[in-house]
Amino acid sequence: MKNLIILAHPDINNSNYNRYILNEVKGVPGTKVNNIYSLYKNFKIDAESEKKDLLSAERIIFQFPLLWYGEPSLLKTWEELVLSPDLCSGPLGDKLKGKGFSISVTGGGSLEEYERKGMNYKADDLWKPFIYLAKYCLMNFESIIYTRVPYISGDIDGGCSDEVKRVMRPHVDKMLELLRRPNVLSNKDIF
């Protein structure tokens, strides 16, 4: 498998935007989607199965909605249980070395809105844990795809309304481009 998408949306069936992304990218050849909220409703993660998928992938993408300045709780739990020392650190922990890593995120506010709250940080600070995660696991951090999504009440045409398509088309196009391009090994720092 070329691409592994770790989908971490607590309620994908009622998500207009993330469901649209999922529907548009799940058919890309060589792409597997692990919907962790569907697989692990009780938060009991099969770490060994997830590790096998990581080892089989050339590129790993976390797809999630930004919740309270971070990732959904199950994705954090997944990281803690799956990204173990035997995979990511220690003398034998270089098994993800050279794999591509990206995040695809939707959020209710623009990045500028996050900065205007008087919290004395830049919106790019939101992504630093993922950048460091990639570095820790010796992966190449490839991209951040972020889209501000306006609130839509209820399910609109199964997540496929004209408004959802208009808002999400650039995001989906970036995802499709990422999924179709080769993973180029690189040692460049992003800082």
Side-chain angles (χ1 to χ4, degrees):
M1 139 190 42
K2 181 178 173 188
N3 303 299
L4 175 63
I5 298 173
I6 304 298
L7 174 64
H9 194 295
D11 191 10
I12 193 68
N13 293 327
N14 289 310
S15 166
N16 291 299
Y17 299 106
N18 281 268
R19 188 166 27 136
Y20 180 70
I21 295 168
L22 176 63
N23 289 337
E24 292 293 306
V25 303
K26 68 182 178 185
V28 173
T31 299
K32 180 177 182 181
V33 177
N34 283 2
N35 179 346
I36 62 174
Y37 273 93
S38 176
L39 291 168
Y40 309 115
K41 293 175 183 157
N42 60 4
F43 278 58
K44 296 196 184 308
I45 295 167
D46 183 347
E48 293 309 311
S49 175
E50 294 294 321
K51 287 178 187 181
K52 286 178 187 171
D53 283 344
L54 289 174
L55 293 172
S56 297
E58 293 176 27
R59 173 178 292 112
I60 299 145
I61 302 167
F62 287 179
Q63 169 68 48
F64 62 94
L66 188 64
L67 302 175
W68 287 104
Y69 299 90
E71 64 205 292
S73 59
L74 185 56
L75 182 55
K76 184 64 177 161
T77 300
W78 183 96
E79 291 169 13
E80 292 168 0
L81 296 175
V82 176
L83 301 177
S84 59
D86 64 312
L87 203 63
C88 296
S89 66
L92 301 175
D94 65 351
K95 294 175 180 72
L96 301 180
K97 184 176 184 176
K99 293 182 183 288
F101 180 76
S102 295
I103 58 173
S104 168
V105 185
T106 58
S110 70
L111 295 179
E112 293 76 23
E113 288 175 87
Y114 287 103
E115 292 179 357
R116 281 195 306 239
K117 301 281 185 190
M119 308 222 354
N120 197 28
Y121 73 91
K122 296 289 183 197
D124 286 346
D125 293 343
L126 295 168
W127 317 132
K128 283 187 180 176
F130 302 101
I131 294 166
Y132 289 123
L133 179 147
K135 285 178 166 275
Y136 181 76
C137 294
L138 305 174
M139 294 185 286
N140 300 319
F141 194 90
E142 294 180 309
S143 65
I144 300 161
I145 304 170
Y146 177 82
T147 299
R148 177 195 181 277
V149 294
Y151 177 74
I152 294 178
S153 177
D155 183 25
I156 310 289
D157 272 343
C160 294
S161 73
D162 288 341
E163 177 65 5
V164 170
K165 290 177 184 176
R166 182 191 66 75
V167 169
M168 295 312 298
R169 192 72 245 166
H171 190 113
V172 166
D173 288 345
K174 289 176 188 172
M175 280 284 288
L176 291 171
E177 187 275 325
L178 176 66
L179 294 170
R180 290 177 177 142
R181 79 173 178 229
N183 176 25
V184 178
L185 299 180
S186 169
N187 292 322
K188 69 178 183 176
D189 275 335
I190 66 164
F191 294 112

